[in-house]
Amino acid sequence: MDSAEVIAREADRIVNLILFSDLPWIDIAIMAERLRERVAEEFPDKGELFEHLYARRFERIWSDWREG
């Protein structure tokens, strides 16, 4: 499995935790930050892409499923 697949799987895991667990936002945010750091290490030029794809996705799903 290559780095991009590992990152995608971790992002999916975070989404599943948002949807199907009762973890507070701070725990989700910590996991997202770790994923952000991994992306920065593996793909230094893709930080902005991470923000557009994953960070916004996590926040949107949290807002739609947890705050609503």
Side-chain angles (χ1 to χ4, degrees), residues 2-52:
D2 68 3
S3 295
E5 290 174 348
V6 171
I7 289 167
R9 284 181 188 246
E10 180 61 17
D12 288 343
R13 187 178 80 81
I14 293 170
V15 168
N16 281 318
L17 288 170
I18 293 170
L19 295 174
F20 303 112
S21 78
D22 60 351
L23 287 174
W25 174 252
I26 188 68
D27 292 330
I28 301 296
I30 290 168
M31 286 183 264
E33 182 59 31
R34 288 183 185 146
L35 184 58
R36 179 181 286 111
E37 291 168 0
R38 181 168 189 162
V39 168
E41 288 173 14
E42 303 272 338
F43 306 100
D45 59 332
K46 301 295 184 190
E48 190 172 321
L49 185 60
F50 174 87
E51 295 303 320
H52 287 286

